[in-house]
Amino acid sequence: MKDGQSAFQSSPSQNAGDAAPPPLTIRPAVVADAAAMARVHVDTWRTTYPGIIADSHLARLSYERSEKMWIEHLTNPGAERAFVAVTPAGEVVGLASGGPIREPLEQWNAELVVIYIRQAYQGSGCGRRLVTTVAQDLASRGFQSLVIWVMKDNQSARGFYEKLGGRLTAEKPIRIGEEDLLEVAYVWPELKVFG
């Protein structure tokens, strides 16, 4: 489990006869959401990262450890805020968090720290709504720009950020488990593009 990651995987295209996903509510996350957030977090890594991150590492991911991390985060959030996407039935199907940039990168001052979306909701607009919510929250707190770090080999997420207007700006190594991998950064110089 690593902050600064986004997990997206290509979702099957919807046919005209497929039912659309139910409408979602985006709201601030609360401690009571921690178990559901942990399930989305771990499950999204396991469906997104095979072939990118070692299977042995993905198998060691734990709902319990993730839940503890989210409880700690939601109990003591500091300047980072988390939001969840919730179905009408109350199921958490996505989450995102953002705050001040954690590692200086040029003049950019805010970071989309994580975004995880259940595979069935990818391509439904959930990701766009979560990113927009985080960006608007950051803008309301005086931040001007946004950075997201994503695994270099996560082509689906990279395509999503490019569609949102993100500009590829940097690359850095990251160690996950026993592997040395690469992340790339996308930047939005002005948060106002998220209206």
Side-chain angles (χ1 to χ4, degrees), residues 29-97:
V30 296
V31 173
D33 295 320
M37 293 169 74
R39 285 189 300 275
V40 170
H41 184 176
V42 170
D43 291 348
T44 302
W45 268 59
R46 288 180 176 161
T47 60
T48 300
Y49 290 126
I52 298 174
I53 295 173
D55 291 342
S56 59
H57 180 80
L58 297 174
R60 285 192 303 271
L61 296 176
S62 159
Y63 295 126
E64 294 78 19
R65 282 192 308 270
S66 181
E67 181 179 0
K68 286 178 185 175
M69 186 270 306
W70 285 112
I71 289 170
E72 174 63 26
H73 173 77
L74 295 169
T75 304
N76 303 297
E80 186 181 325
R81 293 185 185 164
F83 296 86
V84 290
V86 183
T87 68
E91 179 188 8
V92 173
V93 297
L95 63 107
S97 68

Side-chain angles (χ1 to χ4, degrees), residues 8 115 127-128 131 155-165:
F8 285 90
I115 181 166
R128 179 180 296 272
V131 171
Q155 295 302 320
S156 184
R158 292 183 63 182
F160 171 74
Y161 299 127
E162 289 165 6
K163 281 185 202 175
L164 283 180

Side-chain angles (χ1 to χ4, degrees), residues 84-144:
V84 290
V86 183
T87 68
E91 179 188 8
V92 173
V93 297
L95 63 107
S97 68
I101 197 160
R102 296 172 299 163
E103 295 177 31
L105 180 65
E106 301 176 28
Q107 71 270 28
W108 320 122
N109 63 4
E111 184 173 353
L112 179 65
V113 179
V114 299
I115 181 166
Y116 304 119
I117 299 168
R118 285 207 176 277
Q119 190 171 11
Y121 287 84
Q122 294 172 13
S124 71
C126 179
R128 179 180 296 272
R129 289 183 60 204
L130 280 166
V131 171
T132 299
T133 299
V134 170
Q136 290 173 344
D137 173 68
L138 291 165
S140 75
R141 295 191 281 150
F143 294 97
Q144 295 83 34

